[in-house]
Structures are given as C-alpha cells and as structure tokens.
Amino acid sequence: MDKPSDTLAKRITDRLVKNGLFTEAAANKAQALIASGKMSPEDWRLPIELATDKEECDS
Amino acid sequence: MSTPALRKLSIAHLRGSVAPFSLPFENNKKLTVVYGENGTGKSTICDAFEFLGKGRVGSLENRGLGRPHKYWPSLGKNSSDVSVTLETVDGATCSATLIKSDVVINPEGNRPSIEVLRRSQILALVEAKPGERYNAISRFIDVSGIETSENNLRQLIQSLTKNRDVAVARVQENEDSITQFWTTAGKPGADALAWAKIEAHRDPNAADAETAALASIQLAYTNLLGYPTQLEEAIRDLNTANLKDDDARIALENCATSVAADAKEVVKILESAKDYYLAHPSPHACPLCESSENATGLGARIDQKLGNFSAIQTANSNLTQAANALQRAAQQMEQLNKNYEKSRTAFEDSRKALPVAEDIRPCATSCPTEINQLGSWLEQTADLPAAWKTAETNRQDSTRFLATLKQALETYLHNVDAQKELDALIPNLEKAHEIVIEERQKFTDLILSNIATEVGRLYEAVHPGEGLNKISLELDPKKRASLEIGASFCGTTGTPPQAYFSESHLDTLGLCVFLALAALDEPAESILILDDVLASVDEPHVERLIEMLYVEARRFRHCVITTHYRPWKQKLRWGWLQNGQCQFIELSKWTNTQGLTLIQSVPDAERLRILLAESPPDPQLVCAKAGVILEASLTFLSQLYECSVPHRSTNLYTLGDLLPSIKGKLRNALSVEVLISAGDGGSTHQPTALGPILDELQRIAQARNVFGCHFNSLSFELLETDAIGFGQQTLMLIDALADPVAGWPKNKKSGRYWANAGETRRLHPLLAPQ
C-alpha cells in the first residue's frame, strides 16, 4: 500500500498541473520530493516560475 | 494475487503450549472461533499469531514484568525451544523462532500481516489521550513529509514577499532620484522617466569629444603663453652676443696693431709650431726650413716667443668665444621660431577643431605667424581660456550627471523588472500553497471521515436504532498530531463518548474503531485476532456483535476470535448462528503436561445422524438426543408463529406442551423449501411438508420419555421401531428446518416466507393462518 504522503503528493501535483502551476514533467519529478518532505523552497520556485513563463509565452 | 488460506498453526513451548500444539483450519472458512473457559490457553494462540506477525507477545506487556521476553518460553523451557509455524493451503510455511531475545522469521517473505486486539486494549483508542490516539492511526493519515514541503513553500512565499517589498521600496527611491535629476534639469519633456530614458540614450562620446577639444585648445593656448618671454630673452641674448663679438673683434684688432703688423699671422704660425712640438717633442730639424741647425731647444724658444704674444692670444680667444656665443644665440632664435611655428600650428588645429556650441567661445583671429606679433594677439584673446575652461567643466559635469542618471535609470528598471517578476510569481506560489493546504486537509478529513463513517456503520450494526452511530474523528487544528473522537448522545453530537457511554457501549465502540482501522490496511492480506473482546458486552448486543463479526471477518484473510462466552458455543451447537463460514474450536482444560488440547465438538443433529447410522442403533440414546433436538425445533416454530403454550413461571415446556401448540391450519400450512444442489451445478428448491412429520412425531412422542428419559417397564411393550422412528422423524424435521451451515430461517425480508442466509431454507407460511 502506498504511504499516505505518496497518495497525497500525487493528488497535489495533479492539481498543480491542472491549474497550470506545474508542467507534467516537473510534477513527475516533484512528486517524490513533496511526499518525502525534501521539496526545498527553490524546488518549489523553479517549476512554478517555468510554468508561469510558459503560460505568459503561450498567451 | 490473493493470499493463500491458512491450513495449520503449530505452537511449541510458547507461553501455555508446554507441549507442541496444532490448530488446524478448515477449508473455505475464514472465521475461527476458539472457545474455552478461562485458563484453557486461548491467549496463547493469540500470542503465537502476534509472535509470528509482529515479533512480540502483547499479552505480557504493561504487566510490570520488566523485559517480558524471558517469560515467552513455557515454564521450564528455553528460548531455543520456542517455535511457531503457520502453514498455508499452498504448502508454504512461515516459522518464528527465538534466539535469545530476537525473533527470527523464516522465510521473512512469508511473514503474515497480523492485527491483534485484546480485551485489555479494547478501550485504548477510545480512552487514549488525543496524541496517543493520533499515533494509533498516524500510519493512515501521517503526511508529515507533505507538511514539511508545504512549510518550505510557505517560507519561500514569505521570503519572496519580503523581497518584493524591498523591490517596491527601491523602485520608489529610484523614482525619487530620477525626479530630482529631472527637477534639477528644469523638468524638460513630459515626465521624469521619459526624460531620463531619452537622456540615457544620449551618446556620451559626443560630450567627451567636445571636452577633449576644449582641453586641447586650452593646452595649445597655454603653450603659446611662454613665447613672448622666450622671444625677449632670445633677442636679448642675440644682441648681447653681437655686442660681445664686436667688442672682441675690435680688441683683437687693436692688440694686433700694437704688436706687429703681421703679429697676428706669426702667432698663428707659432701656435701651429707649438701644436707640432707637442706631437713631436724632439724633432731633428725645423719642420718649415728643414734645417737641423738650432733644432735643439726650438720648442722652448717657441713657448717663449708665444708668451710675447699672450695679449694677442687672449684677445683672439675672447673673439672665438664671442663668435661661438653669437652663433649659439642665433641658433636659439632660429629654434625658438621653429618651436613657435609648431605651437602655432597646433593651436590653429585646435582652433579649427573647436566645436560650435552656444557656450563655447570661438577664437576669431588666427594665431599670428610672426612670433613678435604674438604678444599683442595674446592680449586680445586673454579671456578665451577661462571661457573654454568653463565650457569644459560644464561638459565634464554633464558627463558625470549622465552617467549617474543612467545608473539610476538602470537600477530603477532592474528593480521594476524584479518587482514585476515577483508580482507574477508570488500569486502563483500562493495559489500552489492553497492547493497543497486544501488537498492535505481534504485528504486527512476524508480518511478520518471514512474511518468515522465505518466506525458508525459497525456500531449501528451492533446498536441499531440507538442513535449512537454519528461518530466523528477530528484533528485538532491547534495541536499537531492530536485526534479528538466524538459521538452523538441524546441528540448532541461531538460529545466525548468516554463521558456518556456505558462500559459495554465503550467496549463495542473500541472494537468498532479497531475493526475500521484494521480494514483500512489491505484487510485481504491481514489476519485479524480478537482475543476475548466480547467479555463485557451485554447480552442484548452480543448476538448482533457476533453477527457483525461474521460479516466483517469476510473482508480479512482470516479472523480468529477467542471467547469464553458460553452462549456462543450453544447457539453454534444448535445452528442458531450462521456457521457456514465459521469454524468452531473448543479448548479443553489446560494441564501442565499436555498444555493446550482441542475438543472435537459435533453438532447435535450430526450426533443424532451418527446414532441412527449405528447398527443396531441404541433406542435410548436415539430418543434422548432426538428429544432435545425436537424441543429445540418446536421451540423455534412456536416462538416464530407465537403459538399458545401453558404460561409457566419457569418458562420450561415439554413436548406435550409444544407439539399440540402447532396445530390446525398452521400445521397443515407448514412447509420448507430446501435448496438442493442439482448434478449440473445448478440448484433447485424442493418442498417438504412439516405437517405429516409433526403428526407422526405427536403419535410416537411418548417414545422420548419411555425410551429416552427414564427406566420404564412400558418400554418393554413398545416397539423399538417407534423409538428409531422418533429419531428419524426428528432428524427429518431438523434437516428440513435448519441448515448446518446457514442456520435457521429467521429472516422475513422476502415478505413471503422465512429464510436463512443464502435462502437454503424457505419456511412457509410467513404468518400463521387464522
């Protein structure tokens, strides 16, 4: 059985992708880090910055 | 892949198993009820499962024994004697042995998942402190990793918000500085920023070239300033040299005239001769006349002669010096003119290169070619260098200003970019943070809600309609890892059950919480052990609790329930409980030589069948057993249809009371549809009328007393076939009424008949006909 943190991390990253805050690739990378508590402030910043930039470029 | 069913548990020298003990498990039965009086070894069986699955023996913990592992072996046995082996239907085994205090599992991969709840622990979750309660369920809701990551995100937002505030302040400062520059510059253009951007785009080299040109003309002008003085000095030196030369010439003339007409030439000859004699100190002859006569001492005589002409020599030397000085002065004048020409040319170049600007005064006249005109020209242009200096300083100030303005504008734009970037980023980080919080809360709330709902469902099954099923589990938002439990009581929800529930209700609640939690963690792979958990449950609820356990046990790999609740044994014996999936095992009295031993219990109907199958059957035994079974059957029917029997204070009824109570239309209408398996794998219900059986039983009912209960000489006269017939009719009745696996038909949900589980028996009618 998956640990609760693993299950929750998957739900969180799915919603972040759905809201355009993470790309799919970034979400896949971040999932284990979020679950294990190793998602540092910079780990949070980079994917959201990239996704924001991408959104700005696309719009 | 499903986990294989259990075949056998073998225990050697663990706790009460002083001798090796085996507990066999029946095929297709996932529930094993181990019945035994106190001290028969029920807990040893639970200990064995826990020893194997968890490497501990919970029944010895918290009893003030220190390190309890030394009490794990049976009295007089060593650690190395202890072993527990679980065998599954696929032939696989898993063994646990004890090496000193370490439990060794072999193979580890086959180790079963075990969940144990003991009587002593049943209230642990309900009565525990909120923190301890949280610990018990933390493995299902522990998302501390997520919380750490969430906290890192929060810190990032706080840090970037501070950065943004700083960026905003800096932008304001930069704006103020630029506005100040703009104001200083006289507020040109539309606004300060627009002006600053235009200014910053100005070519700084343009001002540099003007500054260089101004510096160059100033230098060239300065170079010219020294020439008038130098010219004066040069003229003075030349004039002096001319005068000295004239004087020396006149002095020489005068001296020569006074000495001899040709003295001048003679002195020259003598000086030449002296030079010769210095090179040839001892000549043999005169170099002029070649006469050797008077050659000796000629040098000395020349010196003497020349001495006579020293005045002429001095005058001659002075003339030479004066001539040289005159020559030098002339050369200096010539050099001065050349230098002036260079300086003048340089100035003219600078003058021509001087940029045209409002604040740059041009030099209207050329620098004179003649050096002697320079002085007056310099007087005419004397105010120009100061004007040029002012213009140069202005340009230098302007360049510095531009550089400062440019730097201020760059800093401003950089900070504006940083602010814009943060303005775009921070809301997205905050949105991500909200998502993490929302999902975390939703996740834990959902799990807790599911657990609470499940607890409520189980509780309602045991306490139907009591309104106590609204169980809530809530994390205290103010305290980390703190779980509150609440229940509804007299219409008030969220009350702590410990405060209002009876001991028995709390026990049931504790059991329901345990079952709900155990079912969360892949129950199909878990063996559930409930050690004597029915002890304090009151009689009205215990049957429903047992039914609930029957149902819930199906979700687990296997469920072992130990109990000393005697009615359970009797109800199973009489088929009053569904025992299709239940294996009933009874433990006999424990002894210090044999340890745990099993009693092979056979249901009474099966005993009757065995007695009838004996050859020849014993009428007394048959009638005795059949009488008890018939009483049970008639009690069931008379209670079901509310038949009239004599009202006695003892509530004890004989066959003579019960058989006639089922009479008339009811007796005629009674029939049972028995589910029969067909050969093709299907099944069909075959009806059996009970009226004829009851009629025949009523006819020969005296056989029960005559043969089965008393020594009676009447039995000598009765046919033994009546006794055997009594047994056979009773067996037909019980076979028709009760399924040894699915029990009695007590359920009227169909609305047409009474049925047992799986409807292997359908008893008609639903109501006694009037």
Side-chain angles (χ1 to χ4, degrees):
Chain A
M1 190 181 80
D2 278 352
K3 287 181 181 171
S5 284
D6 297 328
T7 310
L8 177 55
K10 173 79 171 71
R11 291 184 189 186
I12 288 169
T13 50
D14 283 352
R15 251 191 87 185
L16 291 173
V17 171
K18 198 176 168 187
N19 281 269
L21 296 168
F22 267 48
T23 61
E24 288 275 1
N28 290 338
K29 276 186 188 172
Q31 211 167 298
L33 292 175
I34 292 174
S36 63
K38 291 177 182 169
M39 190 77 173
S40 70
E42 281 312 305
D43 290 333
W44 278 111
R45 180 177 181 156
L46 188 63
I48 293 178
E49 226 167 30
L50 290 174
T52 309
D53 290 349
K54 189 173 181 296
E55 207 169 61
E56 280 172 5
C57 290
D58 292 345
S59 60
Chain B
M1 193 180 74
S2 62
T3 315
L6 310 187
R7 176 178 286 167
K8 188 170 69 176
L9 177 73
S10 302
I11 314 170
H13 310 304
L14 176 76
R15 303 274 290 125
S17 61
V18 293
F21 169 79
S22 286
L23 177 63
F25 297 99
E26 291 178 14
N27 278 343
N28 303 318
K29 292 191 175 177
K30 296 177 85 175
L31 174 63
T32 301
V33 175
V34 180
Y35 170 80
E37 300 295 338
N38 287 332
T40 51
K42 299 187 296 295
S43 289
T44 294
I45 293 172
C46 299
D47 289 342
F49 274 111
E50 193 171 24
F51 180 72
L52 184 64
K54 293 184 179 293
R56 51 190 279 241
V57 175
S59 64
L60 289 177
E61 291 172 3
N62 303 317
R63 289 191 174 186
L65 293 172
R67 298 183 68 195
H69 67 270
K70 60 183 174 181
Y71 302 105
W72 291 357
S74 304
L75 200 61
K77 295 294 177 184
N78 298 317
S79 299
S80 57
D81 298 324
V82 174
S83 84
V84 173
T85 301
L86 183 66
E87 190 179 332
T88 50
V89 291
D90 61 353
T93 61
C94 179
S95 296
T97 50
L98 196 54
I99 298 177
K100 292 185 179 175
S101 60
D102 295 327
V103 179
V104 179
I105 305 296
N106 185 32
E108 181 66 41
N110 288 354
R111 190 173 200 172
S113 167
I114 305 280
E115 296 293 340
V116 183
L117 179 67
R118 298 176 191 280
R119 167 83 196 99
S120 58
Q121 301 166 321
I122 197 164
L123 289 177
L125 273 176
V126 178
E127 295 185 339
K129 289 177 184 170
E132 292 165 356
R133 195 179 295 127
Y134 177 87
N135 288 339
I137 69 161
S138 64
R139 64 190 164 123
F140 303 111
I141 60 169
D142 178 19
V143 288
S144 52
I146 302 283
E147 286 170 328
T148 305
S149 295
E150 180 187 312
N151 196 38
N152 288 342
L153 178 54
R154 186 182 303 112
Q155 283 175 4
L156 174 64
I157 292 168
Q158 287 169 349
S159 161
L160 292 182
T161 304
K162 275 185 191 169
N163 291 354
R164 187 190 164 279
D165 291 344
V166 170
V168 169
R170 281 184 182 163
V171 165
Q172 190 56 52
E173 281 172 17
N174 299 145
E175 265 183 10
D176 290 347
S177 300
I178 290 168
T179 304
Q180 215 167 3
F181 288 138
W182 182 56
T183 306
T184 307
K187 296 189 175 178
D191 60 67
L193 279 176
W195 165 79
K197 283 177 184 170
I198 292 167
E199 285 294 302
H201 279 94
R202 272 177 51 194
D203 181 9
N205 294 329
D208 289 349
E210 286 181 1
T211 305
L214 286 165
S216 172
I217 199 166
Q218 287 176 81
L219 180 64
Y221 191 91
T222 304
N223 286 342
L224 291 174
L225 291 175
Y227 282 106
T229 306
Q230 289 177 41
L231 181 62
E232 276 180 23
E233 287 173 358
I235 290 170
R236 190 174 61 240
D237 290 348
L238 188 61
N239 288 339
T240 303
N242 266 327
L243 287 173
K244 283 184 177 176
D245 185 66
D246 288 347
D247 289 347
R249 202 170 295 280
I250 291 166
L252 182 60
E253 290 293 335
N254 291 339
C255 189
T257 305
S258 65
V259 176
D262 59 350
K264 193 175 170 182
E265 290 79 9
V266 172
V267 167
K268 281 186 177 174
I269 291 167
L270 287 172
E271 283 179 340
S272 298
K274 185 181 178 180
D275 290 342
Y276 179 83
Y277 274 102
L278 284 172
H280 306 90
S282 302
H284 298 293
C286 174
L288 291 176
C289 63
E290 295 180 343
S291 168
S292 58
E293 190 180 359
N294 298 324
T296 303
L298 187 57
R301 286 196 300 277
I302 289 169
D303 288 341
Q304 187 183 357
K305 246 333 190 189
L306 278 172
N308 294 336
F309 288 99
S310 60
I312 293 172
Q313 281 178 320
T314 301
N316 197 35
S317 174
N318 289 343
L319 179 60
T320 303
Q321 287 176 6
N324 288 341
L326 180 61
Q327 193 180 1
R328 282 198 300 275
Q331 284 172 344
Q332 280 175 355
M333 179 59 82
E334 191 181 341
Q335 187 60 43
L336 182 65
N337 279 319
K338 282 182 184 172
N339 289 347
Y340 172 68
E341 182 54 26
K342 276 185 188 172
S343 297
R344 190 192 70 82
T345 305
F347 178 80
E348 279 304 304
D349 290 345
S350 295
R351 189 177 71 86
K352 286 170 189 166
L354 196 63
V356 178
E358 202 174 316
D359 64 334
I360 297 177
R361 282 185 60 190
C363 183
T365 54
S366 303
C367 182
T369 53
E370 296 303 325
I371 192 169
N372 55 3
Q373 295 169 4
L374 179 64
S376 59
W377 181 84
L378 287 173
E379 284 173 12
Q380 289 165 15
T381 59
D383 57 341
L384 285 176
W388 291 333
K389 183 67 186 170
T390 303
E392 184 193 9
T393 305
N394 288 344
R395 270 152 189 75
Q396 284 170 340
D397 289 347
S398 171
T399 302
R400 276 195 292 272
F401 172 77
L402 194 61
T404 308
L405 179 65
K406 209 169 181 176
Q407 183 61 45
L409 186 66
E410 278 173 11
T411 308
Y412 167 78
L413 293 174
H414 172 77
N415 287 330
V416 166
D417 283 348
Q419 185 190 329
K420 276 183 187 168
E421 190 183 310
L422 292 173
D423 281 345
L425 179 62
I426 290 172
N428 283 340
L429 291 170
E430 286 172 339
K431 199 170 167 187
H433 190 233
E434 280 170 22
I435 287 173
V436 175
I437 292 171
E438 267 178 32
E439 286 297 326
R440 175 176 57 76
Q441 289 175 344
K442 209 161 65 178
F443 181 79
T444 50
D445 287 350
L446 183 66
I447 290 175
L448 291 176
S449 165
N450 286 345
I451 295 172
T453 304
E454 179 66 357
V455 172
R457 184 185 71 77
L458 296 172
Y459 205 63
E460 180 66 11
V462 183
H463 300 274
E466 293 183 25
L468 303 174
N469 59 324
K470 292 187 178 65
I471 308 298
S472 64
L473 291 168
E474 287 173 7
L475 287 172
D476 187 340
K478 292 175 188 166
K479 299 175 202 162
R480 203 191 167 280
S482 179
L483 184 69
E484 300 290 347
I485 186 167
S488 61
F489 189 78
C490 294
T492 305
T493 55
T495 58
Q498 312 93 297
Y500 298 102
F501 279 25
S502 72
E503 198 73 14
S504 174
H505 280 76
L506 284 177
D507 276 356
T508 321
L509 181 60
L511 178 60
C512 291
V513 171
F514 174 81
L515 286 175
L517 293 179
L520 279 177
D521 199 3
E522 301 188 28
E525 293 184 8
S526 294
I527 299 171
L528 190 64
I529 310 295
L530 303 176
D531 187 13
D532 207 13
V533 294
L534 303 180
S536 73
V537 180
D538 53 4
E539 182 60 32
H541 297 113
V542 75
E543 193 164 325
R544 282 195 290 269
L545 178 58
I546 290 168
E547 290 292 340
M548 184 268 277
L549 290 174
Y550 273 37
V551 173
E552 295 308 311
R554 292 177 196 149
R555 303 162 71 182
F556 294 87
R557 181 185 181 189
H558 201 94
C559 178
V560 176
I561 303 176
T562 69
T563 182
H564 64 268
Y565 179 67
R566 194 170 185 80
W568 197 345
K569 174 188 170 184
Q570 297 303 335
K571 286 172 183 178
L572 278 167
R573 179 184 168 194
W574 288 103
W576 285 17
L577 297 172
Q578 301 171 39
N579 55 0
Q581 64 182 39
C582 173
Q583 174 192 7
F584 187 83
I585 287 172
E586 186 173 354
L587 296 176
S588 65
K589 189 172 174 58
W590 179 88
T591 66
N592 61 1
T593 52
Q594 289 188 312
L596 284 73
T597 49
L598 295 177
I599 296 174
Q600 296 297 329
S601 61
V602 179
D604 281 16
E606 293 308 307
R607 283 184 183 275
L608 177 57
R609 201 184 311 280
I610 292 164
L611 289 170
L612 286 168
E614 285 178 358
S615 183
D618 182 331
Q620 191 270 323
L621 292 177
V622 167
C623 286
K625 183 57 69 184
V628 175
I629 294 172
L630 183 57
E631 281 176 357
S633 303
L634 295 175
T635 299
F636 169 74
L637 287 171
S638 61
Q639 286 180 347
L640 199 66
Y641 293 104
E642 299 176 350
C643 300
S644 300
V645 290
H647 190 198
R648 296 194 187 100
S649 60
T650 57
N651 275 339
L652 295 173
Y653 306 102
T654 64
L655 287 181
D657 298 323
L658 293 169
L659 259 174
S661 74
I662 303 163
K663 60 187 177 184
K665 291 179 184 175
L666 174 61
R667 184 177 289 195
N668 292 334
L670 279 172
S671 77
V672 179
E673 289 182 89
V674 180
L675 187 68
I676 306 292
S677 297
D680 59 357
S683 59
T684 180
H685 281 96
Q686 283 189 0
T688 301
L690 300 187
I693 298 173
L694 293 172
D695 289 346
E696 179 62 10
L697 281 169
Q698 197 160 353
R699 187 184 70 77
I700 55 176
Q702 61 178 326
R704 192 268 176 104
N705 284 338
V706 173
F707 284 100
C709 295
H710 310 288
F711 172 75
N712 197 324
S713 60
L714 280 174
S715 66
F716 302 164
E717 297 175 22
L718 282 179
L719 295 172
E720 285 194 357
T721 51
D722 283 352
I724 303 306
F726 179 74
Q728 287 170 335
Q729 292 298 318
T730 300
L731 190 59
M732 283 171 66
L733 181 66
I734 190 71
D735 278 348
L737 274 178
D739 182 329
V741 172
W744 299 69
K746 295 191 289 186
N747 182 335
K748 60 176 181 180
K749 284 181 187 168
S750 71
R752 294 183 290 122
Y753 48 79
W754 297 91
N756 64 357
E759 297 203 357
T760 62
R761 300 290 185 276
R762 291 173 177 171
L763 173 62
H764 298 269
L766 191 63
L767 296 170
Q770 299 300 315

